[in-house]
Every structure is written in C-alpha cells, then in structure tokens.
Amino acid sequence: MRPSWDEYFMEIAETIKKRSTCLRRQVGAVIVKDNRILTTGYNGVPPKMRHCDEVGCLRRELNIPSGQRHELCRALHAEQNAIVQAAKYGISIEGSTIYITNQPCIICAKLIIASGIKRIVYSGDYPDELSLSMLKESGVEIVNFRLS
C-alpha cells in the first residue's frame, strides 16, 4: 500500500538521522513544502569541527539530563541544521512543514516559529513542555506521529 505523505517524509527523516554523530540521541529532520523536500538536517557539529563520536560528549561526561543545558553541546540539532541549510542556500521555508524524529526542544521551537514553518510532524518524545506550549500559542500545527 502506498504511504501517506506524512508516512513518506517521516520514513525519510528516520533515514536521515542515521548520519548523526551524536552519542546520546540521533535525530533527523526534513523540511517540506508542497510535498517537495526543501532541506534536511541531522544532529551533529558545525562544518570543519570534529564530531562527538570522535572527541566525546561533554553532556554525557557531566551527566546532564536530556532537555537541559543545551549550551554545553557541540552539536546543532537536526531542526537547526535544516533551517541553517535553507538560509545558507536562500531557500524560503515560510509556510512549510518540518518532519522530525523527536519533539523539538525550546530552542528549536523558537527557530521553527521565527522561520515561518507552519506545521510540525514528529515521532519521538522529548522532555520539554515549554516548547509545545510556545508552538501551540504561536499557531504552529503539531502532529505527534508514530510510525507503525
């Protein structure tokens, strides 16, 4: 049976997350408009830096719980990388949908709101109620999607 568009793009996000070099959580993101992929991203360090799987994870070493102290991470989140990629190549993501393999954190939620993304489809939980609250307040449609 042919997958729905949400199933199709969530499966692609699941594949994209395999490129992640994060030692704690692999996340993939796909930004789509009119059922066409605009950009993708996975969590990993900025270009020209050594990856976490090479140098270790400071958050793991300091035993920092998930969802806290984002500033102590070398990596960008998948959503951040997808949004940065759009900016770098001059691609408008206004009115688009972002598919993410985890619920966005508060930092990513603010970037999603500010960038004009209108819909989020995500499949995994993340300990950040404030992000969901802000997304709802801003009018971003949120779909909690589970792959079968």
Side-chain angles (χ1 to χ4, degrees):
M1 180 152 175
R2 190 173 186 199
S4 70
W5 286 113
D6 284 350
E7 291 169 329
Y8 176 72
F9 291 120
M10 283 304 298
E11 288 176 10
I12 292 171
E14 288 289 333
T15 299
I16 290 165
K17 82 178 189 179
K18 294 175 184 176
R19 291 280 307 155
S20 171
T21 57
C22 180
L23 299 174
R24 290 174 46 141
R25 180 189 310 258
Q26 288 71 46
V27 180
V30 183
I31 299 178
V32 174
K33 189 169 185 177
D34 299 325
N35 294 326
R36 298 293 176 256
I37 296 173
L38 300 177
T39 65
T40 65
Y42 53 87
N43 53 331
V45 298
K48 301 179 183 175
M49 291 182 60
R50 291 182 297 151
H51 293 279
C52 300
D53 60 1
E54 297 173 275
V55 299
C57 176
L58 180 60
R59 294 173 55 79
R60 182 187 279 177
E61 291 170 20
L62 297 175
N63 201 27
I64 297 171
S66 184
Q68 298 178 18
R69 304 291 315 268
H70 297 287
E71 75 278 9
L72 294 177
C73 180
R74 295 172 55 84
L76 293 165
H77 287 184
E79 305 93 302
Q80 294 167 352
N81 269 324
I83 291 168
V84 167
Q85 188 181 76
K88 183 175 180 177
Y89 293 105
I91 299 168
S92 173
I93 55 176
E94 178 79 30
S96 64
T97 296
I98 188 166
Y99 293 86
I100 319 164
T101 59
N102 280 89
Q103 173 195 319
C105 72
I106 187 61
I107 295 168
C108 291
K110 290 186 276 187
L111 287 170
I112 288 166
I113 294 164
S115 68
I117 293 171
K118 296 298 180 199
R119 183 171 182 255
I120 297 171
V121 180
Y122 74 93
S123 62
D125 295 326
Y126 192 75
D128 198 331
E129 290 300 317
L130 181 57
S131 73
L132 292 177
S133 174
M134 287 184 70
L135 289 163
K136 289 175 186 173
E137 180 183 340
S138 71
V140 174
E141 180 186 351
I142 305 163
V143 177
N144 188 339
F145 183 88
R146 303 278 185 220
L147 287 174
S148 303

